[in-house]
């Protein structure tokens, strides 16, 4: 996921996302928090105005077509937006370019904030 510093000040980020949650349109306070598992070592990332930073989020994938299913037997969840908390930068509600996103088991693995786009 890409983030752009829209302020006029340089910001410094270090660490993993503190929160990842599924949310409805325009309702960041009404969300479904996911269990966040951090992976990788964090480094300090300096983001100048209009500069970018990235994190990689990996969800438990929904299987099948259409309605889909979770291997665990739980019901998949789908959301139009997500709320992501960045270290020392607050929580941000974001929508994906290609519409809704879905996940199973309310879990996400996250990389630390990076100055390089993850593969």
């Amino acid at each position: 996921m890409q983030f752009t510093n829209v302020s006029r000040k340089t910001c410094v980020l270090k660490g993993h996302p503190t929160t990842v949650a599924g949310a409805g349109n325009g309702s960041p306070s009404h969300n479904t928090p996911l269990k966040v598992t951090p992976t990788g070592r964090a480094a300090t990332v300096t983001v100048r105005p209009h500069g970018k930073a990235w994190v990689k989020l990996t969800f438990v994938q929904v299987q099948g077509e259409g309605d889909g299913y979770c291997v665990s037997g739980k019901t998949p969840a789908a959301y139009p937006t997500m709320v992501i908390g960045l270290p020392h930068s607050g929580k941000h509600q974001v929508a994906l370019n290609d519409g809704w996103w879905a996940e199973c088991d309310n879990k996400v693995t996250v990389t630390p904030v990076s100055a390089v786009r993850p593969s």
Side-chain angles (χ1 to χ4, degrees):
M1 174 144 305
Q2 174 181 293
F3 294 90
T4 303
N5 180 356
V6 296
S7 76
R8 295 180 186 197
K9 295 182 178 183
T10 296
C11 69
V12 177
L13 301 170
K14 182 177 182 180
H16 296 78
T18 55
T19 303
V20 178
N25 286 323
S27 60
S29 61
H30 299 306
N31 62 55
T32 302
L34 305 181
K35 180 179 184 267
V36 176
T37 301
T39 185
R41 183 171 291 159
T44 301
V45 176
T46 301
V47 186
R48 299 190 186 288
H50 306 290
K52 299 181 184 333
W54 291 267
V55 297
K56 184 174 183 178
L57 309 172
T58 305
F59 300 95
V60 177
Q61 186 173 353
V62 176
Q63 304 294 308
E65 300 287 327
D67 292 337
Y69 66 95
C70 297
V71 172
S72 67
K74 293 186 179 179
T75 303
Y79 306 95
T81 67
M82 69 176 61
V83 175
I84 298 180
L86 294 177
H88 310 290
S89 184
K91 293 180 181 176
H92 307 274
Q93 185 173 14
V94 295
L96 302 176
N97 291 339
D98 56 357
W100 289 59
W101 62 281
E103 58 84 23
C104 286
D105 303 337
N106 293 331
K107 294 192 257 182
V108 60
T109 300
V110 299
T111 63
V113 175
S114 174
V116 178
R117 177 182 276 187
S119 55

